[in-house]
Amino acid sequence: MLVNVVISIPSSHPFTYGVPEEMEKQTAIGKRVLVPFGRRNTIGYIVELNPSMEIKSVKDILEVLDTEPLFSEQDLDFYRWTSQYYLYPLGKTLKMSLPGGIDAKSHRWVYPSDKKRPEKMELSITQSRIMEILADYPQGLSIDNLKKVTQKKDILNELKELQDLSLINLKDRIEKAAVKKKEGFLIKHLPLPRQDIKITEKQKNVYAFLEKHGESDIASLRVQFKNIGATLKTMKYKGLIDISTQEVYRTRAPIAHIGEKNREIQLNKQQKKVLDQISEGIRSCQYFPCLLHGVTGSGKTEVYLKAIEEALAMGQSAIYLVPEITLTPQLMSRIHGRFNGDIIATIHSKIGRGAKYDEWRRISRGDARIVIGARSAIFAPAKDLGLIIVDEEHDTSYKQEDHIPYNARDLAIVRAKKLGATVILGSATPGIQTYFNTKNRDFRLLEMPERVAGRDLPAIEIVDMKQEATGGSPPVFSKGLIEAIKKNLAAQKQTLVFLNRRGFDAFLCCLDCGHIFKCLNCSVSLTHHRNEGLLKCHYCNFQVKSPPLCPSCGGARVHSYGVGTEKVQEEMVKLFPDARVGRMDSDAVSTRGSYEKILISLDRGEIDILVGTQMITKGHDFPGVTLVGVISADTSLNMPDFRAAEKTFQLLTQVSGRGGRGDSPGKVIIQTLNPENLTIRMARDHDYLRFWNDEISIRQELGYPPFSRLVNLTISSTNETSLTGYVRTVSVAAKEAAALMGGNISILGPVEAPLYKIKGRYRWQMLLKGTDISSLHGLTKQLLNNFNFPGMRIKADVDPVNFM
């Protein structure tokens, strides 16, 4: 028996291995195996059984690591498509698609050998240092840890020479993944062993109980005896009892009840009309893509829940995607109030390894029929998948920036098409591409233009911050916003204050010499986090204590500029000392469960003013919020991105939509330096269609998506001088290859990236633009294959959304 295995390396090429006879019954597509690879053992994924090929000799797999497949052949087809489209190796795609709690890791370890080093043997400085370190670690060190201790990034050649000299041994160690949890469930007594065995009084009582009843489940014993666990373990060791175990799922975190409690809402006419069309698609068991364009507060979530009911009634399962994990608590509360919790699974990054492993197995086995999560949940191995919901489909959080640059919204469409399923893309501000698809492709447009219960959309006021400035820079808060918050507090209503910049200050600067405190690894200024007394880089996590003096000139006039959410929160406390002020940004919700606590407090009315970043703009439904303040509408408008207007319109509309969702009307105050900007004015008027018509004409004129496809190439190196020549070589080759392909591809750049240096690497960008994705793929593959030089790196981002 032969199998094809892919490994997490920069190649999609499968490797063929033999299967020992005793492992044949365990072998299946979707299982992980331990295989010899070069001079080491590593983990791979079985993607094919008995490939049709003639091969004289193969190495055998060493171990089958799974008792049941982690994915099916149908899932593999989807993963393979993802790998090919985003030009990312299949082995790495599988590793990324499977939750971290499932995938074991292979690490190379270094051990000192028994051989003593001859006195006359000469070693390099690094090799001598390695031997000194290993003398203190006879149990060995991983290569990764050895690199940290020696502070050397490249020690592989040094280690190879030491191994050739028999001074060290290199071995592979498998870091165990999460394992199945087993629990004792049936205990029975055994015939008493030797008479001289010592038995405590408690053990005698337990034995007598089992002797009387024959056997017992562990739950009954816990009722009869306190702290029974350790006693049973000792009795089993002494041969007094036998314990049968069964596999159990780990106890999941309790559901935080946020928002309306278990109340099924009666649909209005527009909701019923939309649901009828979605239900028709679900019942057809055919590919049915639709855009649900409903204004904020129109009741889209209730339509989603009814659609899930329809899918379950058809024996199908459903995946429900949200762009931020901060949206899951309120959604989970609502879904658990409507469906049996045993059929619901949650997949996102804040779940522990063991719990994530259990959730994956519940989904794979078909025990969980509803999957809720952030973007990675699109890879969940749901059985009989008939419905995929992508809420807030316009949100750029669905795009992965690191590793494989997939877009979960786009993959939802692909997966639905492959399975013949219904996919609902829902938004109050649909992406330009998605709305375009309703006019030029087979996407069904479903509209809900009114809020439920006849509620009005919030009134939006634009404040010109130039008029607020009195001889200097504009203040953080306009007079109108301060007055509106006062009135809202007096009315015992809640306020959201939005600013898309975390931290206390934007940056620190010395007023004596002009020195700006910048990151050592990135070409960005450090953000001041005053509460922690730190300067932080939000790109590489470099941080340093806030200095009292300028490191350049020694001056004491170190001042801060700009404003972040920490500072806004502090200023709110000063302005409104009696108000309860909270903050929600990635710093405030860094610990597990912290975002649930904030949302619960907001839901209970324990927060009067909540300051936050984009986290507070998405999908939250709190009836007590009647006022929304936008500190600066200009931040996203001035980004170097052809989608800047689209992102600004969406952001302003979404954050405005958090207000007035209860019985009281909502009000929004948008502060800007550009009050006449057309995008801001159309957001004020809630006029999506006018915005779309205006934006689509600009895109068509410039030939940008949806009228073209893009691939963004980022070329980087730690050596700035060498990188410049390398970029020039890549550019010439790209333009020559594009010309040979018929001139259907335009090449923009190369230019230095807006963030020129990130994590110690200097970066250039080159944008490939064309109407044929196959041609773009072909040119990109050619460049990736031909310019893979040591120290240089080319990263391809297909359908990019971030150009920083």
Side-chain angles (χ1 to χ4, degrees):
M1 184 178 185
L2 299 175
V3 290
N4 271 352
V5 173
V6 293
I7 296 167
S8 181
I9 58 174
S11 171
S12 292
H13 177 71
F15 298 89
T16 304
Y17 289 89
V19 181
E21 188 175 347
E22 66 272 16
M23 296 185 191
E24 287 186 0
K25 290 184 179 179
Q26 307 170 44
T27 304
I29 288 175
K31 288 189 176 184
R32 293 166 304 138
V33 286
L34 185 65
V35 294
F37 188 72
R39 300 180 63 179
R40 61 181 299 185
N41 300 331
T42 191
I43 295 168
Y45 308 88
I46 300 175
V47 295
E48 188 178 2
L49 302 180
N50 290 314
S52 55
M53 61 189 304
E54 293 183 7
I55 192 164
K56 291 183 179 179
S57 63
V58 293
K59 296 178 181 178
D60 284 346
I61 62 174
L62 303 174
E63 185 181 353
V64 179
L65 299 175
D66 300 301
T67 56
E68 52 193 305
L70 299 176
F71 52 85
S72 66
E73 291 188 55
Q74 197 174 57
D75 296 327
L76 177 59
D77 178 57
F78 173 59
Y79 299 151
R80 201 186 296 274
W81 188 96
T82 303
S83 164
Q84 292 169 350
Y85 184 79
Y86 289 104
L87 304 174
Y88 202 74
L90 180 58
K92 285 181 171 286
T93 298
L94 291 174
K95 183 180 179 68
M96 187 279 311
S97 303
L98 302 173
I102 285 178
D103 198 22
K105 295 179 181 178
S106 174
H107 295 283
R108 202 121 214 238
W109 278 60
V110 186
Y111 300 87
S113 70
D114 297 332
K115 181 180 177 180
K116 291 186 178 180
R117 172 187 167 189
E119 293 182 6
K120 294 183 180 180
M121 182 181 289
E122 293 186 5
L123 299 178
S124 69
I125 296 175
T126 301
Q127 289 171 339
S128 297
R129 176 69 177 137
I130 289 171
M131 296 307 299
E132 289 173 8
I133 294 166
L134 291 177
D136 295 329
Y137 291 92
Q139 77 278 16
L141 268 178
S142 71
I143 288 182
D144 290 339
N145 284 331
L146 194 57
K147 287 178 179 178
K148 291 177 183 177
V149 177
T150 59
Q151 296 183 336
K152 297 282 186 181
K153 291 184 178 180
D154 188 7
I155 60 173
L156 296 182
N157 289 334
E158 307 277 8
L159 292 175
K160 185 177 182 300
E161 290 180 11
L162 289 173
Q163 185 182 36
D164 292 341
L165 294 170
S166 301
L167 294 178
I168 64 169
N169 294 316
L170 296 176
K171 294 182 181 178
D172 295 303
R173 282 175 53 168
I174 304 300
E175 176 190 310
K176 286 188 177 181
V179 296
K180 297 174 184 176
K181 183 179 180 181
K182 293 187 177 181
E183 189 174 88
F185 77 101
L186 194 64
I187 297 96
K188 59 182 179 180
H189 75 287
L190 297 173
L192 282 173
R194 303 184 319 273
Q195 295 298 318
D196 60 343
I197 192 166
K198 293 182 180 180
I199 304 177
T200 65
E201 191 65 30
K202 185 175 182 180
Q203 291 168 1
K204 285 181 182 178
N205 293 335
V206 173
Y207 191 86
F209 179 86
L210 292 171
E211 203 171 26
K212 179 180 178 181
H213 294 88
E215 59 186 21
S216 173
D217 61 85
I218 197 167
S220 300
L221 280 176
R222 283 174 175 154
V223 173
Q224 296 292 325
F225 304 96
K226 294 182 178 179
N227 304 320
I228 192 66
T231 303
L232 293 176
K233 187 176 180 180
T234 305
M235 291 178 71
K236 183 180 180 182
Y237 175 75
K238 292 179 178 179
L240 298 172
I241 61 172
D242 183 41
I243 303 178
S244 300
T245 60
Q246 67 178 359
E247 182 187 342
V248 295
Y249 294 127
R250 290 164 179 82
T251 303
R252 289 183 283 171
I255 301 301
H257 292 292
I258 303 172
E260 302 209 15
K261 312 295 189 295
N262 306 345
R263 187 168 72 86
E264 186 171 351
I265 300 169
Q266 294 297 316
L267 300 186
N268 58 30
K269 288 183 180 180
Q270 68 174 5
Q271 289 172 312
K272 287 179 181 177
K273 182 179 178 181
V274 163
L275 181 63
D276 285 345
Q277 296 178 72
I278 293 172
S279 298
E280 182 183 335
I282 293 172
R283 288 193 292 266
S284 73
C285 296
Q286 300 291 321
Y287 172 55
F288 181 76
C290 59
L291 166 62
L292 177 52
H293 180 200
V295 298
T296 56
S298 60
K300 294 187 290 295
T301 303
E302 189 62 30
V303 172
Y304 299 151
L305 298 184
K306 290 288 188 182
I308 292 173
E309 287 179 7
E310 186 73 43
L312 294 178
M314 292 286 294
Q316 301 170 352
S317 60
I319 293 178
Y320 191 147
L321 299 181
V322 292
E324 289 271 5
I325 60 173
T326 53
L327 291 175
T328 55
Q330 191 171 28
L331 178 61
M332 288 293 289
S333 174
R334 195 162 174 180
I335 287 183
H336 274 263
R338 295 282 287 276
F339 301 98
N340 180 353
D342 292 337
I343 67 168
I344 303 169
T346 311
I347 296 287
H348 59 68
S349 59
K350 295 294 184 181
I351 299 174
R353 281 174 52 128
K356 196 176 292 183
Y357 177 67
D358 284 355
E359 294 290 78
W360 190 269
R361 287 186 299 121
R362 290 177 61 240
I363 298 166
S364 181
R365 291 171 172 176
D367 296 340
R369 310 293 289 180
I370 304 172
V371 181
I372 301 167
R375 60 180 176 239
S376 62
I378 191 58
F379 297 108
K383 298 292 184 185
D384 306 311
L385 183 59
L387 174 65
I388 305 175
I389 297 164
V390 186
D391 194 20
E392 311 292 357
E393 65 83 27
H394 66 276
D395 202 291
T396 55
S397 297
Y398 283 121
K399 175 73 169 179
Q400 168 99 355
E401 296 294 340
D402 299 326
H403 308 299
I404 178 171
Y406 72 92
N407 191 314
R409 176 201 61 194
D410 299 343
L411 287 185
I413 297 167
V414 171
R415 193 168 185 189
K417 192 168 187 176
K418 283 180 171 292
L419 297 176
T422 293
V423 56
I424 307 172
L425 308 179
S427 177
T429 54
I432 296 294
Q433 176 77 55
T434 305
Y435 201 84
F436 180 82
N437 288 341
T438 65
K439 297 180 176 295
N440 297 274
R441 294 180 64 184
D442 55 355
F443 280 44
R444 182 81 62 88
L445 176 60
L446 310 175
E447 296 182 289
M448 298 200 303
E450 298 175 1
R451 280 189 160 185
V452 296
R455 297 181 183 126
D456 293 327
L457 288 165
I460 299 179
E461 176 186 338
I462 298 174
V463 176
D464 184 355
M465 294 304 289
K466 296 192 299 294
Q467 302 298 322
E468 298 281 326
T470 54
S473 300
V476 176
F477 311 115
S478 63
K479 295 174 185 175
L481 179 58
I482 294 173
E483 190 61 32
I485 294 175
K486 283 182 182 177
K487 290 180 180 179
N488 217 41
L489 290 170
Q492 296 185 327
K493 298 298 182 181
Q494 294 169 300
T495 301
L496 296 184
V497 179
F498 166 67
L499 173 66
N500 207 23
R501 182 192 292 275
R502 58 193 172 105
F504 191 84
D505 305 299
F507 62 93
L508 292 185
C509 176
C510 174
L511 296 184
D512 291 327
C513 70
H515 174 78
I516 293 176
F517 293 76
K518 290 190 173 183
C519 177
L520 299 178
N521 307 312
C522 310
S523 55
V524 295
S525 56
L526 293 168
T527 301
H528 186 204
H529 291 249
R530 197 168 81 171
N531 290 345
E532 300 172 76
L534 295 172
L535 297 176
K536 291 184 180 181
C537 175
H538 293 166
Y539 290 90
C540 72
N541 296 320
F542 170 80
Q543 59 185 39
V544 65
K545 288 185 177 180
S546 304
L549 302 176
C550 173
S552 180
C553 70
R557 295 204 303 156
V558 176
H559 281 254
S560 59
Y561 287 87
V563 60
T565 47
E566 277 185 31
K567 190 170 187 177
V568 170
Q569 181 186 23
E570 183 177 282
E571 291 298 316
M572 281 290 166
V573 171
K574 290 178 181 177
L575 286 168
F576 309 106
D578 296 329
R580 296 162 297 179
V581 183
R583 190 176 94 245
M584 179 181 273
D585 55 29
S586 55
D587 296 313
V589 299
S590 58
T591 57
R592 187 176 297 178
S594 51
Y595 57 89
E596 287 103 328
K597 291 178 183 177
I598 295 172
L599 294 176
I600 289 171
S601 296
L602 188 66
D603 181 46
R604 292 175 177 171
E606 297 167 356
I607 294 177
D608 299 314
I609 303 170
L610 181 63
V611 178
T613 56
Q614 286 194 52
M615 289 183 178
I616 68 171
T617 70
K618 304 174 183 181
H620 300 299
D621 188 353
F622 294 102
V625 175
T626 55
L627 176 64
V628 176
V630 179
I631 298 302
S632 173
D634 309 299
T635 305
S636 58
L637 198 60
N638 296 313
M639 297 295 283
D641 185 345
F642 73 91
R643 294 191 183 93
E646 178 183 3
K647 291 177 181 177
T648 301
F649 180 88
Q650 291 166 342
L651 200 58
L652 295 179
T653 302
Q654 290 291 334
V655 71
S656 299
R658 299 315 107 205
R661 299 173 77 96
D663 296 329
S664 302
K667 181 178 181 179
V668 180
I669 295 177
I670 296 176
Q671 299 183 167
T672 176
L673 296 172
N674 299 283
E676 299 304 317
N677 181 272
L678 192 58
T679 297
I680 295 175
R681 294 173 73 85
M682 287 187 285
R684 177 198 63 188
D685 298 336
H686 307 284
D687 196 343
Y688 174 81
L689 195 56
R690 183 185 170 198
F691 170 77
W692 187 85
N693 285 322
D694 183 71
E695 185 68 14
I696 201 70
S697 62
I698 296 172
R699 299 277 183 91
Q700 187 170 21
E701 184 178 344
L702 297 175
Y704 276 115
F707 300 100
S708 65
R709 307 294 290 275
L710 301 177
V711 176
N712 190 30
L713 297 179
T714 301
I715 309 165
S716 67
S717 174
T718 56
N719 188 318
E720 185 177 15
T721 304
S722 300
L723 178 61
T724 305
Y726 179 73
V727 167
R728 191 180 301 114
T729 303
V730 174
S731 173
V732 170
K735 290 172 181 176
E736 288 177 352
L740 291 174
M741 297 173 75
N744 295 321
I745 297 176
S746 301
I747 297 179
L748 308 181
V751 295
E752 291 182 4
L755 295 175
Y756 179 48
K757 185 184 179 185
I758 295 291
K759 298 181 180 179
R761 300 189 70 87
Y762 300 94
R763 305 158 70 245
W764 286 68
Q765 289 180 348
M766 186 164 63
L767 194 64
L768 312 183
K769 183 170 74 166
T771 55
D772 178 30
I773 190 63
S774 297
S775 299
L776 288 171
H777 273 154
L779 177 56
T780 305
K781 287 178 186 176
Q782 188 175 331
L783 296 174
L784 293 176
N785 292 335
N786 294 343
F787 293 94
N788 185 19
F789 298 157
M792 303 293 173
R793 184 185 301 165
I794 302 182
K795 180 184 177 183
D797 185 359
V798 181
D799 301 333
V801 300
N802 182 11
F803 296 92
M804 296 300 290

